[in-house]
Amino acid sequence: MNLHELARHTAQEFAKAYGRPPRWLAAAPGRVNVIGEHTDYNDGFVLPMAIERYTVIAADRSAAAAPLIHLRSTSPGLDAKLPAREKSGDLDSGGVAIDLRQPLKPWPKGSWVNYPAGVLAGFLARGTDPGPFDALIHSTVPLGGGLSSSAALEVATATLLEAITGQKLDPVEKALLCQKAEHEYAGMPCGIMDQFISVLGQADHLLLLDCRSRKPELVPMTDPSVAILITNTNVKHELTGGGYAQRRAQCETAAKILGVPSLRNATADALERAKPKLEEVVYRRARHVIGEIERTVHAAAGVRAANWPTVGQLMYASHRSLREDYEVSCAELDAVVDIAQSIGPGGGVIGCRMTGGGFGGCTVALVETTAVESISRKIAADYKGRTGIEATMFVSRPAGGATVLKP
Ligand code: GLA
């Protein structure tokens, strides 16, 4: 489903649920990170792109007398995550009601309602009140697959609230408000990459983001001879985010011992000199981050120059470092990267790595466009053979960021 079809579908679902057409339609994309993993919360560089998978929200002013915001979802995963006790009595087929007379607070951990509720809290905190409305959410971003389904939901909510209130936020402020929702409502101490790319993505461009200055730089990627192939391993080993928070803390420890505000300010030489003072695991975490920041800047230059073999090698190096030093890969991600690497340049694979936070989720591969079919077949078959699991695969061009659509 392209964005246009998805928007039409969501509008139809809204009409089915609420008995009238929506007045607003807001969409925000998921993302894949080409390179620059676990660098954003170290003030480093990231190089993501928005993908042609979106979360769309259709909405209209509420017809009810009470000041309630009604949220429904027709995305199976979003409904399944909703504990029964959260379901509001006045919504017969599921969904939730947020009562604007009550102070907002987080839903139980793990509920998807935390994403829209956290963004709403951010708008209310800055004095921007959308008033009561009815909404229906539909998403084609795979849930929990490392493609930022949560950022897509946050940014789609923020885009909808901008449309309802007529108050457009500055894009950086909007991304930060959504990040805060994730920290305070979803309890995930994420960096800023996912929300930034969902807000600022541009068709046919990667986004080189300096997470220290927050300065975004668009990197054109229009060479039709290469494609980005995303493979979902369909496994998720860690749901709580504990491993993520632990990595973050280890990076902070390393920076403290090195005497720098963040690992962005550290060099490989300084790290070697400080090695005796660092716990071995903390040393390896820092080695990943410092190397990855450098790789990301080189990869962006490689994309600009259409130097694909260099970009591919940097992607493999990134994966090795994430597997060995950062320890956020898993057997299934390693299997896909290994299969891709064995297909090699002869079979059209230029580079491959895990993408996103890790512990499952997706890989991103840079491949020759003409070989997409044969590569997909080979990866799917070999992955099934090695793990017994069906992978899901798709190609995406770099897509545009969040947008308001005509209902
Ligand atoms: C998750 C976080 C991002 C980033 C990546 C790892 O996706 O939400 O902020 O830290 O992991 O690069």
Side-chain angles (χ1 to χ4, degrees):
M1 247 196 277
N2 64 29
L3 180 55
H4 184 71
E5 290 158 352
L6 177 61
R8 202 172 50 210
H9 173 80
T10 312
Q12 281 163 357
E13 291 295 322
F14 179 95
K16 259 195 243 161
Y18 294 106
R20 62 189 192 283
R23 178 163 163 189
W24 300 286
L25 274 171
R31 64 98 187 95
V32 70
N33 189 18
V34 174
I35 195 165
E37 220 65 83
H38 290 276
T39 49
D40 61 351
Y41 53 82
N42 288 295
D43 284 347
F45 286 92
V46 291
L47 190 64
M49 65 177 221
I51 54 173
E52 296 158 314
R53 297 294 183 103
Y54 305 85
T55 295
V56 176
I57 313 182
D60 186 21
R61 289 244 174 266
S62 173
L68 299 176
I69 291 178
H70 289 136
L71 299 177
R72 289 173 193 259
S73 158
T74 45
S75 291
L78 291 183
D79 257 350
K81 274 192 180 173
L82 190 65
R85 66 173 185 279
E86 290 178 25
K87 293 191 177 175
S88 162
D90 66 330
L91 291 175
D92 39 18
S93 61
V96 287
I98 297 175
D99 190 332
L100 289 166
R101 290 164 299 197
Q102 309 290 330
L104 258 184
K105 56 176 187 354
W107 260 249
K109 202 169 164 67
S111 167
W112 63 270
V113 182
N114 278 315
Y115 304 110
V119 172
L120 174 66
F123 271 72
L124 294 175
R126 58 193 301 289
T128 313
D129 185 351
F133 64 89
D134 294 338
L136 182 130
I137 302 163
H138 191 80
S139 182
T140 53
V141 187
L143 290 179
L147 299 176
S148 287
S149 53
S150 35
L153 180 50
E154 291 150 11
V155 174
T157 305
T159 306
L160 173 71
L161 297 183
E162 285 178 323
I164 294 177
T165 61
Q167 291 194 39
K168 236 176 136 27
L169 305 186
D170 162 77
V172 172
E173 193 192 344
K174 182 174 171 182
L176 292 173
L177 185 151
C178 291
Q179 182 201 27
K180 192 163 181 240
E182 183 130 2
H183 286 184
E184 294 181 358
Y185 273 67
M188 158 68 173
C190 63
I192 59 172
M193 165 168 70
D194 306 344
Q195 292 78 11
F196 263 75
I197 184 64
S198 189
V199 172
L200 292 171
Q202 291 263 340
D204 293 327
H205 290 82
L206 307 184
L207 188 81
L208 177 67
L209 179 66
D210 179 339
C211 301
R212 184 167 61 187
S213 66
R214 295 183 183 142
K215 192 174 149 284
E217 196 182 313
L218 290 167
V219 180
M221 184 162 170
T222 51
D223 184 345
S225 72
V226 293
I228 294 291
L229 176 66
I230 296 157
T231 302
N232 193 340
T233 60
N234 287 323
V235 296
K236 184 93 193 129
H237 290 296
E238 186 152 358
L239 298 161
T240 56
Y244 185 93
Q246 187 197 40
R247 301 294 181 290
R248 241 193 123 135
Q250 288 165 330
C251 290
E252 279 158 23
T253 302
K256 209 162 152 199
I257 296 173
L258 287 164
V260 287
S262 71
L263 288 178
R264 169 69 181 278
N265 299 70
T267 61
D269 285 350
L271 179 66
E272 288 312 314
R273 282 196 301 275
K275 195 174 174 185
K277 288 191 276 180
L278 295 166
E279 225 182 291
E280 192 264 346
V281 63
V282 171
Y283 164 79
R284 281 189 290 116
R285 302 295 190 251
R287 182 165 66 181
H288 164 73
V289 172
I290 294 167
E292 185 78 353
I293 291 173
E294 221 179 288
R295 281 189 287 275
T296 305
V297 174
H298 286 159
V303 172
R304 263 194 218 95
N307 184 351
W308 304 120
T310 296
V311 177
Q313 287 314 308
L314 290 163
M315 291 170 80
Y316 285 128
S318 166
H319 186 77
R320 270 195 304 279
S321 176
L322 287 158
R323 185 184 65 211
E324 286 158 27
D325 278 355
Y326 221 64
E327 295 175 287
V328 289
S329 188
C330 62
E332 293 83 359
L333 288 166
D334 292 344
V336 175
V337 174
D338 190 50
I339 296 161
Q341 201 155 11
S342 72
I343 298 170
V349 177
I350 307 164
C352 185
R353 57 182 286 278
M354 58 153 275
T355 186
F359 309 109
C362 292
T363 63
V364 56
L366 180 66
V367 301
E368 281 176 27
T369 307
T370 51
V372 164
E373 289 288 306
S374 59
I375 294 167
S376 305
R377 266 200 308 275
K378 173 90 175 131
I379 292 180
D382 286 10
Y383 179 71
K384 179 84 191 283
R386 285 199 201 184
T387 63
I389 305 165
E390 302 273 355
T392 323
M393 311 179 69
F394 64 96
V395 166
S396 179
R397 299 297 309 164
T403 178
V404 173
L405 301 146
K406 281 208 174 61

